[in-house]
Amino acid sequence: EVQLVESGGGLVQPGGSLRLSCAASGFTFSNYWMSWVRQAPGKGLEWLANIKTDGSAKNYVDSVKGRFTISRDNAKNSVYLQMNSLRVEDTAVYFCAKPGDSSGLHCWGQGTLVTVSS
Amino acid sequence: QSVLTQPPSVSAAPGQKVTISCSGSSSNIGKKYVSWYQQVPGTAPKLLIYDNDKRPSGIPDRFSGSKSGTSATLGITGLQTGDEADYFCGVWDNSLSIYVFGTGTKVTVL
């Protein structure tokens, strides 16, 4: 069974940093691009970033470019999101997601809550 | 601000049908496969439709997807109370090189 488990969320002050982790199991992790998606309270879904199978290519949405960094460790079957210079508007539930063999994000983690507040 | 536009809400009685539209552009829906996601508040999104019209295993055939030009549509027939949720379309945008989601539609079963 495919499983994604996020961790690392919590309360952080504006300007602070946080590193999210997503542990994957049940599939050959190194064969898939991986994504991070977030959802602010009461808002829609916002895709943040993805990373290629070997980490050699990454894409970011403008709202996090230069502040967030996606990375992966295929030996640990994990993908990470390093978040720096956090803002109040970064408060959200953060999900990692796995694509299928074609289009779409087929599997999602349960999410981890990040709250940016003083 | 999302590049994919959906109606904020749709509603119908149990057993009826609803359709949800997703309007995009030539750089996203016009060129790439569309997916649809269902999200019950407080839970993670679930993939309902991928490759415009394919259903993952376990998704009932009451859910269907279609695409024409720069728009896509999700249909739900035989509406059930358990279908009350938020629905989002999603697609890769070739110009922005990011994945984009629709604005979301809340389905209410009357």
Side-chain angles (χ1 to χ4, degrees):
Chain A
E1 178 195 3
V2 174
Q3 195 168 13
L4 300 172
V5 180
E6 301 95 337
S7 60
L11 175 64
V12 61
Q13 291 188 338
S17 298
L18 213 54
R19 188 195 195 210
L20 305 183
S21 300
C22 172
S25 60
F27 65 101
T28 305
F29 180 74
S30 58
N31 286 354
Y32 291 90
W33 287 68
M34 293 294 293
S35 287
W36 283 97
V37 177
R38 71 182 177 185
Q39 186 171 39
K43 302 296 185 183
L45 300 172
E46 181 182 27
W47 180 92
L48 299 178
N50 68 356
I51 183 168
K52 193 177 178 180
T53 52
D54 61 357
S56 62
K58 305 172 186 181
N59 296 289
Y60 296 93
V61 70
D62 281 350
S63 59
V64 306
K65 206 174 288 185
R67 299 189 302 124
F68 290 10
T69 302
I70 189 171
S71 63
R72 67 190 296 159
D73 185 337
N74 286 344
K76 294 184 178 180
N77 287 346
S78 293
V79 61
Y80 308 99
L81 189 67
Q82 176 67 42
M83 304 185 297
N84 298 331
S85 302
L86 282 162
R87 305 166 180 166
V88 171
E89 54 266 35
D90 294 319
T91 294
V93 176
Y94 286 71
F95 300 97
C96 65
K98 167 197 169 293
D101 292 326
S102 182
S103 74
L105 297 171
H106 285 235
C107 184
W108 297 65
Q110 85 288 350
T112 186
L113 176 63
V114 172
T115 303
V116 184
S117 174
S118 55
Chain B
Q1 187 172 353
S2 176
V3 300
L4 303 179
T5 303
Q6 299 179 229
S9 63
V10 296
S11 61
Q16 298 300 302
K17 175 182 179 179
V18 295
T19 60
I20 301 170
S21 60
C22 174
S23 178
S25 70
S26 59
S27 66
N28 44 65
I29 294 179
K31 283 190 173 61
K32 309 296 282 188
Y33 285 126
V34 177
S35 297
W36 288 91
Y37 305 87
Q38 177 193 61
Q39 187 182 31
V40 174
T43 70
K46 179 172 74 173
L47 180 69
L48 285 180
I49 297 289
Y50 67 100
D51 288 3
N52 300 332
D53 57 10
K54 295 182 173 59
R55 286 175 285 107
S57 60
I59 302 300
D61 59 7
R62 299 187 300 105
F63 295 92
S64 64
S66 64
K67 187 181 96 166
S68 178
T70 59
S71 292
T73 301
L74 174 71
I76 311 174
T77 59
L79 206 58
Q80 302 176 0
T81 55
D83 297 332
E84 284 204 333
D86 296 316
Y87 293 80
F88 298 90
C89 55
V91 64
W92 184 261
D93 189 293
N94 267 356
S95 294
L96 300 174
S97 293
I98 61 172
Y99 195 83
V100 291
F101 289 101
T103 48
T105 300
K106 181 176 180 60
V107 170
T108 301
V109 182
L110 300 172

